[in-house]
Amino acid sequence: MQGPKDGRDLVGSDRNSKTEIDAFLSAAEKRPVVATGRGRLIFALDATMSRQPTWDLAQHLQAHLFETAAAHGGLEVQLVFYRGFDECKASRFLSGGKALAAAMTRISVAAGHTQIGKVLRHVLEEAGNAPVRALVFIGDAMEERADDLADLAGRLGLMGVKAFVFQEGADRVAERTFRQIALLTGGAYATFDAGAAQRLAALLSAAAAYAAGGRQALELEAADKGAAAMLLLSQMS
């Protein structure tokens, strides 16, 4: 199945990665940057086969990103996902829940390995074009070199992009790496399970508050709604 209508491949197979990254950089430099005054958040999801229940859950809950952000200045969200054999795509930045929901409904999960490194490299490129305040990543596994991901996360941290990493399940390898990504970016890590819709909704709302209005907005969310925002704040640097 195709990704979002306006989606684009990020990088392809490792065999041609340098050429494809160079081409991606060249294309990124030519894209116009539009300043809107809204916060920008990249919403990245693992869409490999094990993720169907959580993909469906995230699809139902994504409107919380915009609902919360509206109170703190608004938000533009870009959807990024990976699945199958080296398929990793991104939508344009979207400014409403209906547009994001429409993009997500056109995507189905497919078996494949994780491609978290591609996601992080993409966020670096987007942040180089215009500020990105936060990355939200939802996944349950990690099948890549932890040191490589740590390097990319450190570079994101230097650019001021906070990673909010939400893990489904209790895979220990994934947990170690996800915690490290969050730590190196000055972001936060949290867990949930597919049956905990309310917890994931609260985590997404807290991340959206930060993306829209910075730490002050997240502090307001913590004072108003409590646990999820407080959890993120307690870890952030």
Side-chain angles (χ1 to χ4, degrees), residues 214-231:
R215 190 179 185 94
Q216 183 177 12
L218 184 55
E219 290 171 348
L220 289 173
E221 282 293 299
D224 183 38
K225 298 181 181 178
M230 284 296 297
L231 175 63

Side-chain angles (χ1 to χ4, degrees), residues 33-212:
V33 176
V34 179
T36 66
R38 293 172 173 163
R40 297 207 311 165
L41 178 149
I42 293 178
F43 185 37
L45 296 99
D46 179 334
T48 55
M49 192 63 75
S50 65
R51 308 298 303 144
Q52 186 68 65
T54 305
W55 180 273
D56 293 342
L57 178 59
Q59 181 178 318
H60 289 303
L61 296 178
Q62 53 78 28
H64 287 266
L65 293 168
F66 298 99
E67 291 170 0
T68 299
H72 301 289
L75 188 66
E76 292 187 342
V77 176
Q78 182 186 68
L79 174 66
V80 177
F81 70 94
Y82 58 79
R83 63 179 183 178
F85 180 71
D86 278 345
E87 182 182 6
C88 190
K89 293 183 180 292
S91 74
R92 70 184 190 280
F93 276 91
L94 306 167
S95 58
K98 289 183 179 179
L100 182 56
M104 294 184 75
T105 58
R106 293 195 293 270
I107 301 165
S108 62
V109 300
H113 294 294
T114 65
Q115 300 177 57
I116 301 166
K118 292 180 183 179
V119 171
L120 299 182
R121 284 191 290 272
H122 171 70
V123 178
L124 281 167
E125 299 307 331
E126 289 288 6
N129 293 329
V132 173
R133 188 169 275 159
L135 162 68
V136 169
F137 173 75
I138 299 176
D140 68 344
M142 195 289 293
E143 300 162 315
E144 301 161 62
R145 284 177 50 87
D147 288 346
D148 293 343
L149 299 184
D151 176 70
L152 292 167
R155 290 161 59 189
L156 282 176
L158 291 174
M159 296 187 75
V161 182
K162 307 288 190 187
F164 298 99
V165 186
F166 303 147
Q167 180 185 356
E168 182 193 359
D171 183 282
R172 295 298 184 188
V173 173
E175 179 182 348
R176 285 194 296 272
T177 302
F178 290 175
R179 285 185 179 278
Q180 188 175 40
I181 291 171
L183 178 65
L184 289 170
T185 63
Y189 163 90
T191 60
F192 72 97
D193 62 65
Q198 186 174 1
R199 177 170 172 78
L200 182 57
L203 290 169
L204 292 176
S205 292
Y210 177 80

